[in-house]
Amino acid sequence: MAVETTTLPQIKGVKDVPYEELFVSGHRTCQGCESALVMRHMVKASGPRTIVLGSTGCMYVANTTYYTTPWVVPWMHTQLGASGSAALGTAAGLKVLMRKGKLKNEKINVIAFCGDGGGADMGLGAISATLTHKDYNCLVLLYDNESYANTDIQLSSMTPYGAVTTFSPTGEKKRLMHTRWKKNVPGMLAAGHPESRYIAAGCAAYAVDLMNKIRKALELGGPTFVHTLDPCPKGWDYHPQYSQELGHLAVECGIWPLYEVIDGVCNLTGPTRQIAEGRKKRKPVIEYLRRQGRFAHFVDEDVEHFQAQVDKMWTDWLIPGVIPFTVPAKDQAILKIDKKPLHQQKTA
Ligand SMILES: Cc1ncc(C[n+]2csc(CCOP(=O)(O)OP(=O)(O)O)c2C)c(N)n1
Ligand code: SF4
Ligand SMILES: [Mg+2]
């Protein structure tokens, strides 16, 4: 069955970004909401022949208030943990309708989004299952504002170490209520889903990089996954004008590495690549932490712990910020692992 394809070429720079807006005014997200910007970039990159499915959360509730919607493309709500199932079911439904001749045979992009609560906690199993079904073309986008934001900033498995949320307030007896390190969702999905041709981590502060990742995912096809880190003025407690700056700092401090895994090959992208190659200095995490009220209770020892964990991601992990396995020094030669920065490594 021949399929008509639209192509989504890689965007070379901001001048090349499509003018057409498919996520417009009419939403009620907070001022400075980066998750809303992710939605805008996502459909700008995918174009008008796209169906968007969204699980419960800020990007559902604030985007579909009674009688108003910013979505220009077809949009459907799905249950909080169901983005993976909604993506797969819609892709399968379209395939059958096209095979039976009930729909024109053309490429329609299917994107299901979820928050960190809906995707990294509740719906992880469904996303994992979807990433094994290689015959269906669908993208799951996890927008990560590091809390259950819509229900008033509760702790999720993606909330960073020590952050204040409504479930982890700071107090006199206990300064840090939340002492778990953030779950590594894109790394985990990339390592365990060989049928998925594309898994990436992005950030709306690097808009072109993010749009190109969306396009690559849709072009390569099959079930794919993109995870974004989204500064949230309400939950992270900072002035809305600093959202882009915080996105930049998360990447520049090495806390949120940008990368993509294509057919099992990992490419670091943007400033993350520059840091790994030794062309850019990684900033200290204090520059990121001190800008947000959710870390205002941190004392030196908390900052040092945070920095040490991030340093470990860069120096000990098999792939900086991506694959969290460490290899003992005695085995590095056997496994031909070179722990030097990329620019100092021997090439074959
Ligand atoms: C099964 C289920 N449990 C709880 C809720 C209540 N609820 C609605 S939105 C939400 C928060 C979702 O958090 P996340 O997925 O991170 O999205 P965000 O609100 O942060 O954008 C919760 C708990 C629900 N709608 N369905
Ligand atoms: S609470 Fe955060 S994620 Fe939700 S609309 Fe406001 S800024 Fe966006
Ligand atoms: Mg959230």
Side-chain angles (χ1 to χ4, degrees):
M1 185 168 65
V3 180
E4 260 185 50
T5 52
T6 51
T7 49
L8 296 168
Q10 290 288 284
I11 298 165
K12 293 188 191 76
V14 278
K15 286 189 188 155
D16 201 22
V17 170
Y19 189 69
E20 194 177 13
E21 297 290 353
L22 300 168
F23 177 88
V24 294
S25 57
H27 61 81
R28 296 180 186 182
T29 65
C30 309
Q31 196 181 21
C33 173
E34 286 280 294
S35 297
L37 196 59
V38 168
M39 299 294 122
R40 183 179 168 200
H41 291 341
M42 177 184 87
V43 276
K44 211 180 228 310
S46 66
R49 302 306 287 159
T50 301
I51 295 173
V52 179
L53 311 143
S55 81
T56 325
C58 282
M59 290 307 106
Y60 158 51
V61 178
N63 280 331
T64 48
T65 312
Y66 194 51
Y67 277 157
T68 66
T69 181
W71 293 108
V72 177
V73 295
W75 185 89
M76 191 191 84
H77 169 236
T78 187
Q79 188 267 342
L80 187 48
S83 59
S85 326
L88 189 63
T90 305
L94 285 175
K95 199 170 178 180
V96 169
L97 289 171
M98 287 180 196
R99 195 183 65 222
K100 290 185 173 174
K102 295 189 174 177
L103 264 189
K104 187 178 153 211
N105 200 10
E106 64 169 320
K107 183 164 179 243
I108 297 177
N109 302 310
V110 174
I111 307 178
F113 68 72
C114 52
D116 46 307
D121 289 350
M122 295 185 197
L124 193 59
I127 295 172
S128 170
T130 296
L131 293 180
T132 68
H133 286 275
K134 61 181 174 185
D135 296 330
Y136 299 101
N137 300 324
C138 54
L139 164 65
V140 177
L141 182 137
L142 194 158
Y143 71 92
D144 181 4
N145 49 29
E146 300 192 317
S147 78
Y148 288 74
N150 180 60
T151 37
D152 206 18
I153 322 295
Q154 286 89 28
L155 184 96
S156 82
S157 61
M158 305 308 279
T159 302
Y161 175 88
V164 160
T165 66
T166 45
F167 280 2
S168 56
T170 183
E172 272 177 28
K173 285 205 176 141
K174 206 165 181 188
R175 191 177 65 255
L176 301 185
M177 281 292 278
H178 169 53
T179 54
R180 288 168 280 158
W181 196 251
K182 186 177 165 97
K183 207 194 264 183
N184 176 4
V185 172
M188 171 198 339
L189 294 179
H193 296 82
E195 303 297 358
S196 174
R197 299 193 60 197
Y198 193 82
I199 289 178
C203 181
Y206 298 94
V208 173
D209 178 83
L210 175 60
M211 284 188 238
N212 280 333
K213 284 172 176 163
I214 304 277
R215 286 191 162 191
K216 261 187 224 169
L218 296 169
E219 283 294 289
L220 283 167
T224 51
F225 178 82
V226 174
H227 191 133
T228 59
L229 180 75
D230 313 349
C232 159
K234 183 181 168 200
W236 300 14
D237 191 10
Y238 63 86
H239 191 283
Q241 70 175 314
Y242 297 121
S243 293
Q244 287 282 294
E245 219 171 312
L246 280 169
H248 288 146
L249 280 171
V251 174
E252 289 168 345
C253 296
I255 297 166
W256 185 249
L258 302 176
Y259 63 92
E260 58 189 4
V261 181
I262 307 176
D263 291 328
V265 177
C266 179
N267 298 318
L268 303 175
T269 66
T272 303
R273 175 154 211 97
Q274 294 172 328
I275 294 170
E277 288 179 346
R279 287 189 287 131
K280 192 179 171 82
K281 209 169 151 21
R282 182 158 49 92
K283 291 184 175 169
V285 298
I286 183 82
E287 292 194 25
Y288 176 74
L289 300 178
R290 73 177 169 211
R291 304 289 297 273
Q292 304 168 57
R294 63 180 175 160
F295 300 115
H297 56 298
F298 269 28
V299 297
D300 289 352
E301 142 193 358
D302 306 326
V303 175
E304 279 157 21
H305 176 77
F306 207 108
Q307 184 67 64
Q309 291 298 108
V310 173
D311 288 348
K312 198 170 153 197
M313 276 167 55
W314 280 84
T315 53
D316 297 0
W317 284 21
L318 204 51
I319 302 179
V322 185
I323 302 294
F325 305 129
T326 55
V327 180
K330 68 180 174 51
D331 293 338
Q332 287 181 10
I334 305 169
L335 295 171
K336 298 193 173 65
I337 290 167
D338 197 341
K339 293 303 292 178
K340 288 194 279 299
L342 284 182
H343 69 294
Q344 289 171 8
Q345 287 180 17
K346 288 186 213 111
T347 43

